[in-house]
Amino acid sequence: MTADVDICNQALGVVGAQTIVSLDEASAGAAACQRLYPLARDALLALHDWRFATARQVLAPLDEPPPSDWQLVYALPSDCLRARYLESPFVGASLDPVTRFERRGDRIVTNLPQAALIYTRRVTQAGAFAPLFADSLAALLAIRLGAALRVDPDLVQLARQDYQLTLGRARAADANEASNRDQPEAGWIEARS
């Protein structure tokens, strides 16, 4: 199982820095990882609709007046990094596929009563990360550590290239986890049968 320190050591290795045993140890690498790791993790989580970080929560309305152009105000879940869309909490309910909402700080404003929010949640346990996400996170962290630890710029450039490559692979693998059975065959494929 992957741990935070494993991802940090992978990143430190990319930029040629000394590896660490713990994020709490007294070293420049550990201090930089402790500061930069959560920021890099949350940035990468918010960048894509990762399946392992998807959550759904029925929102509780707040007893406060909404802005003039909205009817309802809801509290945002505390672990929400990115609000994706709203849906009706009722199974089989007919709903416009584009339900308007707006994120305002730690609030969601909308006109949808009894809304459920689909969102990207903050995942803090590295063992829950998809393997290619962990690789992408290590590459992103290496870029940030390179600047913080003032390492060879060529190593940081290699980390940038690795990040682009691993991020593309991670996104593709994540997208391939979805079922495509509900999509109809293209007309030209059906005609060949």
Side-chain angles (χ1 to χ4, degrees):
M1 182 179 292
T2 304
D4 296 346
V5 73
D6 296 326
I7 294 170
C8 289
N9 278 330
Q10 185 176 342
L12 288 165
V14 168
V15 295
Q18 182 80 27
T19 59
I20 60 175
V21 175
S22 164
L23 291 173
D24 297 326
E25 72 183 47
S27 69
C33 285
Q34 192 174 51
R35 186 177 76 253
L36 298 173
Y37 176 82
L39 300 171
R41 178 199 63 217
D42 289 356
L44 189 57
L45 282 167
L47 186 63
H48 176 75
D49 292 345
W50 304 104
R51 295 187 190 292
F52 72 88
T54 299
R56 179 184 188 277
Q57 181 173 323
V58 176
L59 300 174
L62 296 174
D63 189 25
E64 62 184 56
S68 62
D69 48 342
W70 300 101
Q71 296 173 2
L72 297 159
V73 179
Y74 296 101
L76 199 62
S78 62
D79 63 346
C80 179
L81 290 175
R82 188 166 65 87
R84 298 184 193 171
Y85 61 91
L86 293 178
E87 65 181 18
S88 172
F90 304 109
V91 177
S94 174
L95 183 64
D96 181 351
V98 182
T99 301
R100 289 189 56 232
F101 75 93
E102 195 174 297
R103 180 177 180 169
R104 294 193 177 181
D106 62 349
R107 306 281 194 258
I108 292 282
V109 292
T110 184
N111 295 333
L112 179 65
Q114 300 175 330
L117 177 66
I118 309 303
Y119 65 99
T120 299
R121 67 184 174 93
R122 176 177 286 111
V123 179
T124 58
Q125 298 299 319
F129 298 158
L132 291 174
F133 174 89
D135 283 348
S136 296
L137 177 55
L140 177 59
L141 184 58
I143 295 166
R144 294 178 179 202
L145 287 172
L149 299 174
R150 296 182 176 87
V151 300
D152 181 353
D154 290 338
L155 293 175
V156 176
Q157 183 58 33
L158 287 174
R160 275 187 178 62
Q161 293 169 356
D162 186 41
Y163 172 66
Q164 293 301 321
L165 181 66
T166 59
L167 179 61
R169 288 180 178 162
R171 284 176 157 173
D174 190 66
N176 287 332
E177 297 261 332
S179 170
N180 292 327
R181 292 186 316 179
D182 294 337
Q183 295 179 352
E185 292 279 339
W188 66 270
I189 292 175
E190 287 180 11
R192 288 190 341 189
S193 299

